[in-house]
Amino acid sequence: HIDKKNSIKIRTFVDTDSSFEYAENKILQKYSIDTKYKTTYIELKENALCKGIEAQSLSLIEKLSIKHKVKKDHILFNQGDMADSLFILLQGEVEIRLYTSKDEYKRLAKYNPGTFFGEISFISPGKRSASAIVNSNAVLLELTHNSIVNLKAQHKEELLLHLLFKLGNTMGKELRDSAQEIRRLEQV
């Protein structure tokens, strides 16, 4: 943009995602639209993974989860780490990165309060396919594969069915998005 002295301020970005996000936030700020969503705390029952779940199953998730309060720039996990868990984001912002070298990466996703991520390792424990970095102070719940598998509870089947449908829908959407991105890259 050009300031009052008509000098040009040039801003550089690591990738196009960051540049678009910067421009979008500037437009939102110009029109006084709140961009403080990262500081909002979203209750577990309002999280995309838990919406519509029965009270007993919600209670089980709360009981089985490990609560994490982490600071900006904290690395939740690295690409290649062994894992069996998913994260439920209650507050803050987390970015998923696929590193192509030590310093270069492609941002795959950015998650805000009310979302979840890490479902591949939760369903099929193994190596993480990407890294997760906290962009702003965050509160998360971590739910492990083993905590669900080893659960001896009356509502286990109901919880498993709910998680299966929610995770299946999410993974199906992400697979369609990935296929579309691959088709786009093939045309370049």
Side-chain angles (χ1 to χ4, degrees):
H1 71 275
I2 300 175
D3 66 11
K4 292 178 183 175
K5 296 178 185 176
N6 291 328
S7 64
I8 298 174
K9 291 184 180 181
I10 298 175
R11 191 180 270 292
T12 58
F13 299 91
V14 201
D15 57 24
T16 53
D17 280 345
S18 298
S19 63
F20 282 129
E21 182 176 6
Y22 174 82
E24 289 167 351
N25 285 337
K26 285 296 184 187
I27 292 168
L28 292 171
Q29 288 170 357
K30 180 179 178 179
Y31 294 101
S32 301
I33 298 172
D34 185 19
T35 58
K36 304 286 187 221
Y37 54 86
K38 295 179 240 181
T39 59
T40 304
Y41 187 92
I42 303 293
E43 295 292 332
L44 182 60
K45 67 182 177 184
E46 296 301 320
N47 186 281
L49 183 64
C50 298
K51 274 191 179 172
I53 196 169
E54 295 293 325
Q56 299 91 341
S57 294
L58 185 65
S59 178
L60 282 174
I61 289 175
E62 287 176 321
K63 187 171 80 172
L64 297 171
S65 296
I66 303 160
K67 190 172 197 173
H68 299 278
K69 291 182 180 183
V70 293
K71 301 280 185 199
K72 182 182 188 308
D73 297 324
H74 177 79
I75 299 170
L76 281 175
F77 54 79
N78 284 302
Q79 186 173 323
D81 287 353
M82 291 302 292
D84 77 335
S85 63
L86 65 80
F87 289 87
I88 301 168
L89 186 56
L90 303 175
Q91 185 176 21
E93 182 180 80
V94 175
E95 186 172 284
I96 306 299
R97 299 176 182 175
L98 180 63
Y99 282 89
T100 54
S101 70
K102 183 181 176 205
D103 299 320
E104 294 182 13
Y105 63 87
K106 165 103 173 96
R107 181 171 67 182
L108 300 178
K110 187 182 281 190
Y111 293 99
N112 295 307
T115 59
F116 62 93
F117 56 92
E119 63 276 3
I120 293 172
S121 291
F122 178 76
I123 290 175
S124 179
K127 291 184 178 182
R128 293 279 186 193
S129 57
S131 299
I133 290 74
V134 177
N135 285 348
S136 67
N137 293 349
V139 178
L140 307 101
L141 295 179
E142 182 178 11
L143 185 62
T144 68
H145 176 91
N146 286 336
S147 69
I148 298 292
V149 170
N150 298 327
L151 182 62
K152 305 271 192 265
Q154 181 179 356
H155 302 284
K156 178 180 178 177
E157 290 78 19
E158 180 183 305
L159 175 59
L160 286 172
L161 188 59
H162 177 85
L163 290 174
L164 176 66
F165 277 104
K166 289 286 186 166
L167 296 174
N169 284 334
T170 298
M171 292 176 76
K173 180 189 176 309
E174 290 174 355
L175 186 58
R176 281 192 293 282
D177 291 348
S178 294
Q180 184 177 356
E181 178 70 3
I182 290 168
R183 283 191 294 277
R184 186 189 69 75
L185 290 171
E186 286 177 336
Q187 294 174 0
V188 174

